[in-house]
Amino acid sequence: MDHRTFLDILSVAERLKNTTRHSWTSAGRHESVAEHSWRVSLMAYFLRDEFPEINMDKVIQMLLIHDLGEAFTGDIPAFDKTAAHEVEEETLFYSWVDSLPKPYAAEMHALYEEMGALETPEAKLYKALDNMEAVIQHNEAPFSTWIPREYELNLTYGTDKVAFSPWLTELRRITREEGEEKIKTGK
């Protein structure tokens, strides 16, 4: 890959450092998409022993690139995102992917198609971790940053995605308890 192409790719990825999510950090500031992508990738790294049958390197690749489309559209919270938003993000993202050097464009296309189908163990784990990181971050944020329509969502978000794994189902139960406690105490 030539140097200019490499720098151009990094420039697009850098946008995610400045693209904030609806989520807040424990310090009371908006989280960036890049921060979410980093931490959910770290989650996968630390779960290798829990999922020895899953190609965790592939899951980490999925997690590293899963929100790159938001470099073009910004972040839209799950409770506001429509099918039209998803089509716009996908169109802009694939236009960019198609401009990448061939081996990377082909690999990203294949990963995104696998991620979208949610049929392989790797895709299921990527999606479950993506949802769980959002819930965990939400629980870590000050309760003052929560809006009422998030209360129920925080208690249910990702439950369907973790159902394939007893380990993740238990993690979801624990995070639900944490969310219930925050809602109960307002802290």
Side-chain angles (χ1 to χ4, degrees), residues 19-109:
T19 302
T20 56
R21 292 168 50 88
H22 175 71
S23 301
W24 295 76
T25 68
S26 60
R29 67 167 175 77
H30 276 286
E31 170 191 41
S32 75
V33 175
E35 290 168 316
H36 160 71
S37 294
W38 168 77
R39 187 160 87 157
V40 73
S41 299
L42 188 65
M43 289 169 67
Y45 172 81
F46 281 112
L47 290 177
R48 287 177 187 270
D49 292 342
E50 300 303 328
F51 299 93
E53 73 285 1
I54 292 181
N55 179 346
M56 204 59 79
D57 289 339
K58 184 183 232 183
V59 174
I60 292 170
Q61 288 175 341
M62 289 175 172
L63 291 166
L64 286 171
I65 68 170
H66 82 282
D67 276 339
L68 274 171
E70 294 180 9
F72 305 100
T73 62
D75 176 67
I76 301 168
F79 51 78
D80 285 336
K81 200 167 204 175
T82 66
H85 290 128
E86 290 182 17
V87 167
E88 177 187 17
E89 183 177 315
E90 186 175 288
T91 300
L92 293 169
F93 172 73
Y94 278 121
S95 176
W96 176 71
V97 169
D98 290 340
S99 74
L100 298 174
K102 294 293 182 225
Y104 299 100
E107 183 177 12
M108 278 195 176
H109 269 283

